[in-house]
Amino acid sequence: MATKVHLAQQPEADELLGRSPLAVLVGMLLDQQFPMERAFAGPHTIMRRAGWDDLDAHEIAAYDPERFEALMAEPPVVHRYPKSMGKRVQQLCQYLVERYEGDAEAIWRDVPDGRELFKRLNALPGYGKQKAQIFTALLGKQYGVTPEGWREAAGAYGEEGSYRSVADITGPESLEKVRAFKKEMKAAAKAKG
């Protein structure tokens, strides 16, 4: 897969995200109620703290839950909610082991179309409609995973030239544009009441 990305804004973490489909899935999972770049740095932090050379769904799925929670909670925390997000990361990996033999890339490798890609992502533990759409857009815009209909499946996140989500972050400048867009959306939602 080896893609150059700038999601975590940290060279080692971004290098892992560029070569590990599991890391990108876990980063996306962690991207809620937490700064985007810290969420996407999470997979690298997990790998480093566990003493691994790479992330492996089998290892994470089988890891002692209390020890995994402690690993997530060690300062600086991997996520604002280390206990619940630690469980979610393990559930995601267990699902990948059960359904895809632990091969995260199998979710999108040879996928026939964007609808099927979205369906597979939406079925992942911890992924809902919006997260599945954003991840579909991220795969299409930055990882070259462009089955027919991927933009439609990604909804507004698939629009070319937009700055709506992590799918549009290619460096510090685009990160600020995405942050500004999210701030506008929150303000508009708050104004509606």
Side-chain angles (χ1 to χ4, degrees):
M1 183 162 112
T3 300
K4 185 123 176 95
V5 295
H6 301 281
L7 306 174
Q9 307 284 305
Q10 295 174 16
E12 287 126 5
D14 282 328
E15 186 274 330
L16 177 65
L17 295 167
R19 69 175 165 80
S20 169
L22 178 58
V24 181
L25 278 176
V26 170
M28 188 74 220
L29 178 69
L30 295 172
D31 185 21
Q32 63 185 59
Q33 299 180 326
F34 202 58
M36 285 177 282
E37 64 275 26
R38 291 219 23 225
F40 280 90
H44 184 262
T45 304
I46 291 168
M47 182 185 80
R48 199 182 68 244
R49 287 182 184 169
W52 300 326
D53 294 327
D54 207 346
L55 288 184
D56 182 280
H58 296 275
E59 283 182 296
I60 295 172
Y63 209 86
D64 175 78
E66 285 181 18
R67 285 185 55 220
F68 196 72
E69 180 187 322
L71 180 147
M72 295 282 289
E74 188 181 307
V77 293
V78 175
H79 193 275
R80 177 184 192 175
Y81 302 110
K83 186 176 185 172
S84 63
M85 292 310 281
K87 280 183 185 155
R88 283 188 179 180
V89 169
Q90 286 195 289
Q91 288 169 345
L92 173 64
C93 289
Q94 289 159 357
Y95 182 89
L96 292 172
V97 168
E98 291 166 12
R99 303 275 166 87
Y100 296 98
E101 297 176 5
D103 179 7
E105 193 176 10
I107 295 169
W108 56 85
R109 187 187 308 114
D110 303 325
V111 74
D113 57 45
R115 257 197 328 251
E116 179 62 23
L117 174 59
F118 169 79
K119 184 178 156 193
R120 291 179 188 183
L121 292 167
N122 196 39
L124 295 174
Y127 277 61
K129 178 184 179 190
Q130 185 180 34
K131 198 171 284 285
Q133 286 181 315
I134 292 170
F135 200 82
T136 299
L138 177 61
L139 288 172
K141 290 179 175 183
Q142 296 199 41
Y143 288 89
V145 179
T146 56
E148 188 176 325
W150 73 270
R151 286 191 189 274
E152 294 77 10
Y157 301 104
E159 290 174 7
E160 203 165 336
S162 68
Y163 293 97
R164 295 178 181 274
S165 72
V166 70
D168 304 306
I169 297 173
T170 56
E173 188 180 300
S174 54
L175 172 62
E176 289 311 313
K177 288 180 180 180
V178 169
R179 277 214 174 96
F181 175 81
K182 287 180 172 231
K183 200 173 186 177
E184 275 179 39
M185 293 297 98
K186 280 184 181 172
K190 195 174 183 179
K192 277 187 181 174

